[in-house]
Amino acid sequence: MRLLAVHPSGLMYTRIFLTLEPLGLELIAGAARAAGHDVRIVDLQVEQPSRLWRLVEQWRPDAMCLGGNYLANVPEIIETAKAIKARLPSCFVFVGGHSASFVAADLLAHGAGAIDCVIKGEGEVSVPRLLQAIQDGEDLTCVPGSVSAKGEGPPPRFVESLDTIRPARDLLARRRRYFIGTLDPCASIEFARGCPWDCTFCSAWTFYGRSYRVASPERIADELARIREPGVFIVDDVAFVHARHGFEIGEAIKRRGIRKQYYLETRGDVLLRNMEVFRFWRDLGLQIMFIGLEAIDEEGLQRFRKRIDLDRNMEALEAARSLGISVAVNLIADPSWDHERFETIRRWCLEIPEVVNISVTTPYPGTEIWQTEQRKLTTRDYRLFDIQHAVLPTKLPLPEFYAELVKTQQVLNTKHLGFAAVRKTLGIAGKLLLRGQTNFLRMIWKFDSVFNPALQLADHARPVQYELPVRPEFAAVADKRGLYVHKPAGRRGRTLDDATEQFVDATRSGA
């Protein structure tokens, strides 16, 4: 079959800080191609829609897969599906991805017949099976993770081994457009899937059923050796949970003489516990580390169930500085913040040398705060669920909340692009320009045109065609049993050694 995989256009913050290659679609494309299908990818983050429509008209795909990793892309996904059906009625249109897995039935309802199926969970298993079922005229309910007008298939299944899947990177036409911060250009890779923790604002653990699985060091080294970009973003939700795994990967790429610049995300307690791993990776090229602090007080940390106290987080920042690794941290702006709280946050952020990003509390389907807070939502417009808009009632009038939010973001932006930092920043930009890379330089000058309180407020006034439905059946207290996409398998689902298992259990018990 001819399969066309499409990634929707970028979101608000991706226009500034990063544009990542659609690794999930590349992996789906790789699995479909390994099953004998002809595959193309269009990434609307970096490509014009005209290429999509040329392929539809000239190549005439038998099936189209729309990537639904981000809730804010849902209206675009639905409109694209309807446009495909209008042009090519025989094309089988399906949607998959992280966010799509939590709103599968809603997507079918919004599509009004334009979406034939939604695939929940990991698609590398289900998509080849789905394509075979389409070819053979089978009932779609035989496909694991499928949701269609005829009903649901068996529960989604995990891939048997992360070593058996390969991303079809060669199908992306504009690889030099992918970057994250100063890593320009930048590819993406995964060392592990899942997260053993259970933060209330996150759906990684509910998607993967609290499992944690790793790829083998040799397979990872093989993939890194094939990546041509100098920068690599390690997409793991928490990097190097398992210290031995981190060392073994590092040793494998060191033996091969692979030199890259790396960006990763981790937790403060994981960094402190596995300092030697991060020191080893600094020497291998680890340049930037992202740590989700989320809050600067114990009350906020407990509300988000971070399972780490403020002192340990501050200790982790000191540890990263001692390693000479640049650190970016995230804080979550709560709707209850007033003028005084925003000012306190600004002062705190200016006192530390790290880059600070501010996101907004957003109850996503699949998170505990969706179950407990969704009745309070002030809007159900999918497009506003992008962690940059307020979708819950704010203590300040909404115009004032956005003014304070953008003021805080502008202060932090100026902190890193002020006189003291300009020389270094321009030096980085100059080196990138010599290589023909302009993503980072464009990022510097676009900030004020994207982060604008008047524009954010105006987004709330746009006509709304597709909305998240009301779910009155949700209780006021989160029911974890109904959250999962892949059902939890307990300790058997985690690829952890005994010491790491004890560490994770201790942090989850509050020790």
Side-chain angles (χ1 to χ4, degrees), residues 87-108:
R87 287 170 168 82
L88 197 60
S90 63
C91 183
F92 186 95
V93 178
F94 66 99
V95 183
H98 186 99
S99 285
S101 296
F102 294 105
V103 295
D106 304 325
L107 283 167
L108 290 178

Side-chain angles (χ1 to χ4, degrees), residues 23 27 162-163 169 188-194 212-217 219-224 227 232-242 245-250 253 260 262-265 277 281 284 286 495:
L23 184 60
L27 287 163
L162 298 185
D163 287 354
R169 300 182 191 275
S188 296
I189 192 172
E190 62 178 358
F191 293 174
R193 283 186 182 178
Y212 184 79
R213 296 165 297 145
V214 300
S216 70
R219 202 279 288 167
I220 292 169
D222 285 343
E223 189 172 339
L224 280 169
I227 289 175
V232 175
F233 175 43
I234 302 168
V235 303
D236 301 12
D237 294 297
V238 182
F240 304 144
V241 170
H242 188 173
H245 187 236
F247 274 123
E248 289 174 348
I249 298 168
I253 66 176
K260 303 287 184 183
Y262 299 97
Y263 185 121
L264 59 76
E265 302 182 14
V277 179
W281 273 82
L284 293 174
L286 176 57
T495 306

Side-chain angles (χ1 to χ4, degrees), residues 119-174:
I119 293 294
K120 296 167 59 175
E122 293 186 347
E124 295 92 346
V125 173
S126 298
V127 169
R129 182 68 187 89
L130 174 67
L131 297 176
Q132 188 63 50
I134 297 168
Q135 277 187 315
D136 296 344
E138 294 182 73
D139 193 317
L140 298 182
T141 57
C142 70
V143 179
S146 66
V147 181
S148 68
K150 292 188 176 181
E152 294 198 25
R157 299 205 311 261
F158 286 132
V159 296
E160 291 185 5
S161 168
L162 298 185
D163 287 354
T164 62
I165 54 178
R166 293 285 190 278
R169 300 182 191 275
D170 59 294
L171 296 181
L172 289 169
R174 306 188 70 182

Side-chain angles (χ1 to χ4, degrees), residues 339 342 346 397-410 453-454 456:
H339 295 291
F342 271 109
R346 285 192 288 268
L398 192 57
E400 294 181 32
F401 180 86
Y402 280 140
E404 287 286 357
L405 176 66
V406 173
K407 179 181 178 181
T408 305
Q409 291 166 326
Q410 287 172 331
Q456 285 172 276

Side-chain angles (χ1 to χ4, degrees), residues 342-343 345-350 356 403-418 447-448:
F342 271 109
E343 181 58 34
I345 294 294
R346 285 192 288 268
R347 287 198 303 267
W348 184 88
C349 292
L350 290 173
V356 182
E404 287 286 357
L405 176 66
V406 173
K407 179 181 178 181
T408 305
Q409 291 166 326
Q410 287 172 331
V411 165
L412 301 179
N413 184 52
T414 302
K415 165 186 169 183
H416 295 285
L417 295 177
F447 186 90
D448 289 338

